[in-house]
Amino acid sequence: MSKSEDPIIQTHAARSWRIWLVVFLLALIVAGITSKLLSLYGDDQAFLRSQGDARTLRTMLIPAHRGLITDRNGEPLAVSAPVATIWADPLRTDLQHGGLTRLAQLLDMKPHELKSVLTANPERRFLYLKRQVTPELAEAVEALGVPGVHADREYKRYYPVGEVATHLVGFTNVDGEGQEGLELAYNHSLRGEPGRKLVLKDRVGRTIKHIRSLQDADAGNDLQLSIDLRLQYMAYRELKAAVESHRADSGSAVVLDAQTGEVLALVNQPSYNPNDRSGLSTDALRNRALTDLFEPGSTIKPLTVAAAMMSGQYTRESVIDTSPGYIRVGGASIKDHRNYGKLDLTGIITKSSNVGVTRLALEMPHDTVRNLLHNVGLGRDTGTGFPGERTGVLPFLAERQRVERATMSYGYGLSTTLLQLAQAYVPLAADGIMRPATLLKQTQTPAGTRVLPPGVGPQVLDMLETVISAKGTGRRAAVEGYRVGGKTGTVHKASGGGYAEDKYVSVFAGVAPLTNPRLVIAVMVDNPKGQEYYGGLVAAPIFSRIAAGSLRLLNVPPDKWPEPPSTQVAMQ
């Protein structure tokens, strides 16, 4: 019996052993899991929490409000408006979501176009769908609840005055970084510093909860310019009309405060709308008043006369013989329009005598004229800090370079910007005090530097008034009710190593009013076409209209009242 029961006992024992082995393995697994759980809730808890937070907590940037740009009276020239950016995570975007068709409509896209954009970039985690949309559209997009599609808040730059001040203000790109003009020059100060906040997001990237603010956004600094928007509008209108009527290639005008050097208006043609740059050409981008160089021509003659008076060799009554209407210098012949005979210094300015200023320049020490031109700002930076501003060319001339010294005396052989030319007239209006041009509003009058002896500037202004008289070349620059003075310039354009016979630059620079100078105005029109191209016919009328409008807007009282008609009282 024992023999027959042995296999059964053995089989039972084998099964019992297997069961205990399974139980032991299960117990071992349970112990391992328990040990791991204890480890996770103990030693590894901090690590796991950080890993979980890394997958759900995000640090988001809070965009900083870019500083305002205003004119001297606080009128806005550049403002930042709240907008939003729609973006997607293609890896998490549900292409079968029912709101995808409506999303395409909101983004002005066709459904298949939107899907093509998303499927063409399946590996990317960030893809712009549309930049700078309205907050209302962003709310509509978020309300659709499409997984992987998000809206971030930001700011868009807007320019209320459009093309009127764009060459001065400039513009920003879509990311809010300055690209042109003062937006670029003062970009660091204007843009501010973005803030940071901690948010909780779900598995598809949607923000569930704002946890806390880590750093507040630091708004950019405001920038107050020196320009007066009223004068800017008026000067822009007058320049644009003149450039169009004369079919000129371009034009610029600058209005300075004669006592502070502040730029009250600065305009150019052609211009562009910074709010819509879809058809923008590089030619329209240039701030020509600060970047384009030209030979100033006869507008330099008042400074040559001032240098002569400053030298002590000449007075206002000094007489220069300009007969027979031309002078030979080296191998060159310098001519006047006709033989003016003997002229005093006032007559040289009135008649715009090339021969007269040539004789003055050649009879003075060779560096006299050049030194004064340098002292009034020609050939060097004006200090405005404007991006791309040119310094012009003011060559050093040796004593033996008589031809070059002669041509410099009437504005050839050197180059300048229009702002430099206007700045050069400031000492004439401020009784010899040079105050650099500035694009920022000044809280007090700068001290300035004396570059002319007292009394020389007012005497030259009196001479410039004769240019506006019936005997002068700038009669069309007259302003009713005001004493004004200025100088015309008509310059042949440089071409192919020489000068073009049928292309001109028309220039006028002047001061108003002369009794108590308030404004210095310079106008340049490039290549006017038609019968009128002289500075006295093209640029002078622009000066007249800008001066008249500016003096009226600034409430400057007239200093030239018309004389009452003589009356005879009948004797009874």
Side-chain angles (χ1 to χ4, degrees):
M1 178 178 175
S2 58
K3 292 181 180 179
S4 63
E5 290 179 353
D6 287 342
I8 297 173
I9 295 173
Q10 292 176 354
T11 301
H12 180 75
R15 289 177 179 175
S16 178
W17 177 81
R18 291 189 185 96
I19 291 172
W20 282 109
L21 178 63
V22 171
V23 170
F24 174 76
L25 292 175
L26 290 174
L28 189 64
I29 292 172
V30 171
I33 292 174
T34 303
S35 174
K36 186 63 177 177
L37 288 173
L38 292 174
S39 174
L40 292 176
Y41 279 98
D43 298 338
D44 296 337
Q45 185 176 13
F47 170 77
L48 291 174
R49 183 180 291 111
S50 66
Q51 290 297 305
D53 289 346
R55 288 161 173 78
T56 58
L57 295 180
R58 294 287 186 272
T59 299
M60 292 183 62
L61 290 178
I62 305 173
H65 187 279
R66 191 173 177 88
L68 293 174
I69 300 179
T70 67
D71 82 334
R72 66 185 301 106
N73 300 314
E75 293 294 328
L77 303 176
V79 299
S80 293
V83 292
T85 288
I86 309 301
W87 63 278
D89 180 349
L91 193 62
R92 293 183 174 180
T93 301
D94 182 4
L95 298 180
Q96 306 303 319
H97 193 276
L100 210 63
T101 300
R102 177 56 182 162
L103 175 63
Q105 293 175 348
L106 292 174
L107 300 180
D108 293 327
M109 301 173 68
K110 295 180 179 179
H112 71 273
E113 292 177 342
L114 178 58
K115 290 184 178 181
S116 297
V117 170
L118 295 171
T119 56
N121 301 274
E123 303 300 324
R124 295 179 61 178
R125 302 303 307 275
F126 185 91
L127 178 66
Y128 283 121
L129 295 180
K130 195 164 186 178
R131 302 291 304 271
Q132 297 185 343
V133 302
T134 63
E136 292 77 15
L137 191 147
E139 291 177 1
V141 169
E142 289 178 321
L144 296 175
V146 179
V149 177
H150 311 277
D152 286 345
R153 299 301 187 266
E154 57 185 12
Y155 291 99
K156 177 182 179 181
R157 206 61 162 168
Y158 177 68
Y159 303 94
V161 301
E163 64 186 57
V164 173
T166 186
H167 286 114
L168 197 58
V169 176
F171 58 83
T172 63
N173 62 13
V174 70
D175 294 315
E177 295 292 323
Q179 300 296 293
E180 290 287 339
L182 296 178
E183 288 275 32
L184 174 59
Y186 291 90
N187 184 59
H188 181 73
S189 174
L190 287 166
R191 70 182 176 186
E193 292 296 330
R196 294 183 301 122
K197 62 182 178 180
L198 192 65
V199 299
L200 181 66
K201 294 194 173 186
D202 63 10
R203 64 183 182 84
V204 294
R206 291 176 297 196
T207 299
I208 300 174
K209 182 180 180 181
H210 294 273
I211 306 299
R212 66 177 180 272
S213 175
L214 301 177
Q215 178 182 336
D216 292 334
D218 188 8
N221 298 316
D222 294 343
L223 186 67
Q224 188 168 30
L225 305 189
S226 59
I227 68 168
D228 188 319
L229 189 54
R230 300 171 301 167
L231 273 61
Q232 183 80 6
Y233 267 118
M234 182 269 303
Y236 182 82
R237 181 187 67 236
E238 298 298 345
L239 179 69
K240 183 175 183 179
V243 168
E244 290 177 353
S245 64
H246 291 284
R247 295 179 289 117
D249 292 346
S250 62
S252 300
V254 174
V255 181
L256 297 183
D257 187 309
Q259 301 304 318
T260 65
E262 293 172 294
V263 177
L264 300 179
L266 188 152
V267 294
N268 296 280
Q269 278 293 306
S271 187
Y272 64 95
N273 184 357
N275 299 309
D276 181 10
R277 302 191 293 273
S278 55
L280 178 61
S281 66
T282 55
D283 186 57
L285 277 174
R286 298 207 310 270
N287 187 338
R288 299 172 186 273
L290 288 93
T291 63
D292 282 19
L293 299 177
F294 62 96
E295 291 178 307
S298 295
T299 55
I300 293 298
K301 290 174 181 175
L303 298 173
T304 300
V305 170
M309 298 175 66
M310 182 179 174
S311 70
Q313 296 179 233
Y314 301 93
T315 66
R316 185 172 178 177
E317 291 74 25
S318 298
V319 176
I320 303 297
D321 189 359
T322 66
S323 299
Y326 62 88
I327 183 175
R328 296 286 298 179
V329 180
S333 179
I334 297 171
K335 302 178 181 179
D336 286 336
H337 286 291
R338 63 182 181 85
N339 181 9
Y340 295 119
K342 294 182 178 181
L343 297 173
D344 60 12
L345 297 193
T346 300
I348 290 175
I349 295 295
T350 307
K351 299 299 184 183
S352 193
S353 172
N354 294 337
V355 175
V357 292
T358 295
R359 289 193 181 277
L360 291 176
L362 296 181
E363 291 176 9
M364 291 187 289
H366 72 280
D367 57 354
T368 303
V369 174
R370 197 265 174 198
N371 286 346
L372 178 58
L373 297 183
H374 179 267
N375 289 341
V376 298
L378 300 188
R380 54 195 178 105
D381 198 323
T382 62
T384 62
F386 194 87
E389 182 180 4
R390 304 281 291 278
T391 59
V393 177
L394 183 65
F396 289 93
L397 300 177
E399 187 172 1
R400 67 177 183 277
Q401 294 178 281
R402 291 174 58 82
V403 175
E404 290 81 1
R405 288 167 55 198
T407 56
M408 179 179 286
S409 71
Y410 55 87
Y412 280 84
L414 69 157
S415 61
T416 179
T417 65
L418 190 66
L419 180 60
Q420 285 178 319
L421 179 61
Q423 180 183 253
Y425 272 57
V426 168
L428 301 179
D431 196 11
I433 301 299
M434 173 65 182
R435 293 188 175 91
T438 176
L439 299 172
L440 304 182
K441 183 179 180 179
Q442 303 297 297
T443 56
Q444 58 185 8
T445 302
T449 304
R450 180 164 292 281
V451 296
L452 289 173
V456 171
Q459 290 185 68
V460 176
L461 289 185
D462 289 341
M463 299 178 192
L464 292 177
E465 187 174 15
T466 66
V467 176
I468 315 299
S469 69
K471 298 180 180 179
T473 58
R475 295 184 294 276
R476 295 192 183 184
V479 178
E480 185 177 359
Y482 295 91
R483 293 179 59 216
V484 300
K487 188 68 188 75
T488 60
T490 307
V491 187
H492 286 276
K493 291 192 66 173
S495 176
Y499 292 95
E501 290 296 326
D502 57 349
K503 292 183 179 180
Y504 302 88
V505 176
S506 301
V507 191
F508 191 92
V511 178
L514 297 186
T515 301
N516 184 19
R518 178 68 186 277
L519 303 175
V520 174
I521 303 173
V523 179
M524 184 274 291
V525 178
D526 182 20
N527 194 25
K529 302 172 182 67
Q531 298 299 317
E532 295 184 341
Y533 56 85
Y534 288 108
L537 301 178
V538 177
I542 305 174
F543 168 91
S544 174
R545 292 191 289 270
I546 292 178
S550 299
L551 294 170
R552 183 182 68 255
L553 290 170
L554 295 174
N555 292 321
V556 177
D559 62 345
K560 185 181 180 182
W561 295 100
E563 296 181 1
S566 58
T567 58
Q568 295 182 350
V569 179
M571 299 296 294
Q572 296 295 329

